[in-house]
């Protein structure tokens, strides 16, 4: 596994759990040291337990009797020494493709560097498997490059669909596996190696699709664009609900019952953030432009705008509730992570709102069960408070911006006893308005009366 971030560390642990012998490599020595001691450098439910369990097998404790899900006890080790990938049959590239500074396009420096350096350690017949989310056309370019240096190695594009917060389950039980392999005489043999890697999920019913390179790359960007569009669609409906006095949560429930539409990803509110959806739709638009097909994706610009408008609207709503000004007001922001069960704050809508309110003079206090260290790193000027009670105490308004269970389960009476003024803004439409209003709270949300 080359690259041990959110994707690679989880993939490494899960492949070992499936019974494979895995070596995870990263240039970041701190990350590798943490993973070696079963303490992932990010929060992902179940990951540390999995790392500890597998590494105990590797050290001989119970190695014989604790077989992986595939029947063979896998092993897992982490290193900064790339040369240790030699001897593996399948080399997964799991490095990041962040947004380029000042541009919409993806930054492929890490992918290019990983492929170039891995090539030095490949043996004839080895597979190198791209998992990173890349602009369509990247795999073909990398395959041509690989053919020049390692004519007997094969490249597969095998996109990853895991969600943060559910990464372990999503990797062990994927709904589909996509293999991007050119249609030539070696296709079946190449697919067979991947079938071996994924034997357990395949036996468990995961669908398997074999496509060419560009289709495999597009499956990932198209899926993320569809999800982003679904969220922005319901958020656009939320704007109409606000304008007309309707309730977007009831609307979503009602349209979601049509199984052609489905209720999933129709939760209106503060919109999407994180390290994937925002940068992936932008990179997709940039790539479409390069291919001369930019018109096909101009709608994604609107998807992006609707999403960013939600953050501005949330700040406006909060200011309105605070009688027109944040000055001398304590604003408790519940949530820093871009979504619950994660400590990821990349493009976090919650932190974006918190920072805007602080810039408008509010005394903002942000609390989050897992993401405060990362949040502080990105927004050193914001005030953070680990203790939820302390964050709520004396607040003039409470903004629920990430739907952690600790926040959605708050009791209106007990919370009311802590704050100075009973005003709550439900940025994720997860509270029952009637309950809060009955306890004397001013309740406001995006897209609800
Ligand atoms: C996403 C894709 O779901 C995953 O398949 C891909 O591999 C990586 O990108 P992730 O970024 O982990 O995964 O988060 P996801 O669960 O998709 O949520 C993204 C954002 O959308 C979050 O900020 C979430 O709060 C928001 N969201 C999600 C909504 O606002 N409403 C919804 O109904 C669903």
């Amino acid at each position: 596994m080359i690259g041990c971030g959110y994707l690679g560390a989880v993939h490494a642990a899960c492949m070992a759990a499936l019974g494979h012998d895995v070596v995870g490599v990263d240039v970041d020595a701190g990350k590798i040291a943490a993973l070696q001691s079963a303490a992932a450098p990010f929060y992902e439910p179940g990951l540390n337990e999995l790392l500890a369990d597998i590494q105990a097998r590797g050290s001989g404790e119970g190695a014989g009797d604790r077989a992986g899900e595939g029947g063979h006890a896998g092993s897992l080790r982490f290193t900064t020494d790339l040369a240790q990938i030699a001897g593996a049959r399948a080399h997964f590239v799991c490095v990041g493709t962040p947004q380029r500074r000042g541009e919409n396009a993806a930054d492929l420096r890490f992918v290019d560097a990983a492929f170039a350096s891995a090539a030095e350690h490949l043996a004839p017949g080895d597979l190198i498997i791209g998992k990173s989310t890349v602009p369509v056309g990247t795999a073909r370019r990398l395959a041509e490059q690989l053919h020049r240096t390692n004519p007997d190695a094969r490249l597969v594009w095998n996109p990853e669909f895991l969600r943060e917060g559910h990464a372990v389950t999503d990797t062990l039980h994927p709904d589909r596996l996509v293999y991007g392999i050119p249609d030539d005489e070696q296709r079946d043999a190449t697919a067979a190696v991947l079938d071996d890697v994924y034997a357990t999920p395949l036996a468990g019913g995961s669908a398997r699709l074999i496509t060419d390179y560009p289709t495999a790359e597009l499956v990932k960007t198209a899926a993320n664009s569809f999800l982003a569009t679904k969220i922005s669609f319901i958020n656009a409906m939320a704007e109409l609900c606000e304008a007309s006095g309707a309730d977007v949560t009831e609307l979503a429930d009602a349209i979601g019952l049509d199984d052609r539409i489905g209720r999933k990803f129709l939760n209106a509110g503060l919109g999407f953030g994180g390290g994937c959806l925002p940068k992936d739709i932008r990179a997709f638009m940039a790539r479409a432009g390069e291919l001369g097909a930019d018109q096909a994706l101009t709608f994604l610009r609107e998807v992006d705008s609707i999403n960013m408008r939600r953050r501005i609207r949330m700040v406006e709503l909060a200011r309105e509730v605070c009688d027109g000004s944040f000055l001398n007001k304590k604003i408790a922001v519940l949530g820093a992570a871009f979504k619950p069960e994660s400590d990821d704050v990349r493009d976090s809508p919650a932190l974006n709102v918190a920072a805007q309110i602080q810039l408008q003079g509010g005394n903002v206090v942000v609390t989050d069960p897992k993401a405060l260290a990362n949040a502080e790193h990105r927004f050193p000027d914001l005030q953070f408070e680990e203790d939820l009670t302390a964050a709520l105490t004396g607040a003039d308004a409470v903004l629920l911006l990430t739907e952690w269970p600790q926040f959605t389960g708050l009791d209106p009476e007990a919370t009311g006893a802590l704050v100075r003024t009973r005003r709550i803004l439900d940025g994720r439409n997860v509270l029952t308005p009637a309950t809060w209003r009955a306890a004397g709270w001013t309740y406001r949300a995006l897209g609800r009366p």
Side-chain angles (χ1 to χ4, degrees), residues 386-397:
E386 266 181 43
D387 183 54
L388 176 56
T389 301
L392 290 166
T393 301
D396 294 283

Side-chain angles (χ1 to χ4, degrees), residues 11-204:
H11 205 63
C14 290
M15 291 306 108
L18 294 180
H20 302 297
D21 296 320
V22 179
V23 54
V25 191
D26 201 287
V27 290
D28 182 338
K31 206 180 265 182
I32 289 300
L35 289 167
Q36 278 167 341
S37 53
F42 52 86
Y43 174 67
E44 184 59 48
L47 180 59
N48 284 346
E49 293 76 3
L50 195 60
L51 287 168
D53 184 40
I54 296 154
Q55 286 172 329
R57 284 181 206 163
S59 67
E61 293 167 41
D65 48 86
R66 300 212 334 249
E69 289 197 12
H72 163 79
S75 67
L76 177 61
R77 66 202 160 82
F78 290 101
T79 174
T80 53
D81 175 16
L82 188 72
Q84 304 223 10
I85 68 169
R89 273 172 84 200
H91 306 265
F92 287 91
V93 176
C94 301
V95 296
T97 50
Q99 188 173 338
R100 256 190 241 160
R101 267 178 206 273
E103 281 179 59
N104 269 351
D107 185 346
L108 292 177
R109 265 179 305 173
F110 306 111
V111 171
D112 287 340
F115 271 85
S117 43
E120 294 170 23
H121 305 283
L122 299 182
D126 279 4
L127 284 196
I128 182 156
I129 303 150
K131 285 203 91 60
S132 310
T133 301
V134 291
V136 58
T138 305
R140 192 174 286 155
R141 172 174 65 78
L142 292 169
E144 285 164 7
Q145 202 173 297
L146 186 72
H147 187 71
R148 285 194 290 273
T149 54
N150 306 64
D152 297 318
R154 295 274 291 164
L155 182 134
V156 179
W157 213 265
N158 173 221
E160 179 54 56
F161 308 105
L162 65 78
R163 297 160 299 166
E164 287 177 26
H166 304 270
V168 172
T169 324
D170 284 353
T171 308
L172 291 175
H173 308 284
D175 42 20
R176 78 281 206 198
L177 292 158
V178 176
Y179 307 167
I181 311 174
D183 188 6
D184 58 23
E185 71 287 350
Q186 291 178 64
R187 191 182 227 186
D188 291 346
T190 305
V193 179
L194 276 174
D195 284 348
D196 192 18
V197 170
Y198 295 124
T200 310
L202 287 170

Side-chain angles (χ1 to χ4, degrees), residues 50-394:
L50 195 60
L51 287 168
D53 184 40
I54 296 154
Q55 286 172 329
R57 284 181 206 163
S59 67
E61 293 167 41
D65 48 86
R66 300 212 334 249
E69 289 197 12
H72 163 79
S75 67
L76 177 61
R77 66 202 160 82
F78 290 101
T79 174
T80 53
D81 175 16
L82 188 72
Q84 304 223 10
I85 68 169
R89 273 172 84 200
H91 306 265
F92 287 91
V93 176
C94 301
V95 296
T97 50
Q99 188 173 338
R100 256 190 241 160
R101 267 178 206 273
E103 281 179 59
N104 269 351
D107 185 346
L108 292 177
R109 265 179 305 173
F110 306 111
V111 171
D112 287 340
F115 271 85
S117 43
E120 294 170 23
H121 305 283
L122 299 182
D126 279 4
L127 284 196
I128 182 156
I129 303 150
K131 285 203 91 60
S132 310
T133 301
V134 291
V136 58
T138 305
R140 192 174 286 155
R141 172 174 65 78
L142 292 169
E144 285 164 7
Q145 202 173 297
L146 186 72
H147 187 71
R148 285 194 290 273
T149 54
N150 306 64
D152 297 318
R154 295 274 291 164
L155 182 134
V156 179
W157 213 265
N158 173 221
E160 179 54 56
F161 308 105
L162 65 78
R163 297 160 299 166
E164 287 177 26
H166 304 270
V168 172
T169 324
D170 284 353
T171 308
L172 291 175
H173 308 284
D175 42 20
R176 78 281 206 198
L177 292 158
V178 176
Y179 307 167
I181 311 174
D183 188 6
D184 58 23
E185 71 287 350
Q186 291 178 64
R187 191 182 227 186
D188 291 346
T190 305
V193 179
L194 276 174
D195 284 348
D196 192 18
V197 170
Y198 295 124
T200 310
L202 287 170
S206 297
R208 184 196 77 155
L209 293 101
I210 302 185
T211 69
D212 53 24
Y213 288 145
T215 308
E217 294 166 314
L218 281 172
V219 171
K220 174 63 193 241
T221 29
N224 275 359
S225 300
F226 189 85
L227 295 172
T229 304
K230 210 171 170 190
I231 299 169
S232 278
F233 174 83
I234 200 65
N235 283 331
M237 294 304 110
E239 292 186 5
L240 273 155
C241 286
E242 277 181 40
S244 61
D247 185 322
V248 73
T249 62
E250 290 172 9
L251 178 74
D253 288 343
I255 64 172
L257 284 169
D258 181 332
D259 65 6
R260 292 169 303 173
I261 297 173
R263 181 62 179 81
K264 289 180 186 163
F265 268 68
L266 279 186
N267 294 325
L270 200 48
F272 58 84
C276 293
L277 299 191
K279 67 114 176 142
D280 286 352
I281 62 169
R282 291 174 196 151
F284 200 17
M285 285 186 269
R287 185 63 184 141
E290 288 167 5
L291 293 169
D294 45 339
Q295 270 191 327
L297 296 188
T298 45
F299 77 96
L300 285 180
R301 219 181 299 156
E302 206 47 51
V303 166
D304 205 356
S305 308
I306 294 166
N307 192 51
M308 297 317 267
R309 274 210 299 276
R310 300 287 73 201
R311 304 176 184 190
I312 297 166
R313 177 70 190 125
M314 189 71 209
V315 176
E316 282 170 5
L317 198 60
R319 200 184 323 103
E320 206 179 297
V321 166
C322 288
D323 305 322
S325 168
F326 294 121
L327 292 177
N328 300 317
K329 301 229 168 66
K330 175 176 174 179
I331 313 296
V333 168
L334 311 189
F338 84 104
K339 69 174 197 181
E341 302 304 332
S342 171
D343 66 354
D344 195 346
V345 300
R346 287 177 292 172
D347 202 357
S348 164
L351 285 179
N352 183 309
V353 167
Q356 285 189 62
I357 295 179
Q358 167 152 298
L359 286 173
Q360 293 181 26
N363 165 22
V364 177
V365 179
V366 181
T367 188
D368 189 286
K370 295 285 177 192
L372 289 190
N374 287 342
E376 201 154 9
H377 187 69
R378 291 224 171 195
F379 288 86
D381 293 338
L382 277 174
Q383 193 189 328
F384 298 99
E385 172 57 62
E386 266 181 43
D387 183 54
L388 176 56
T389 301
L392 290 166
T393 301

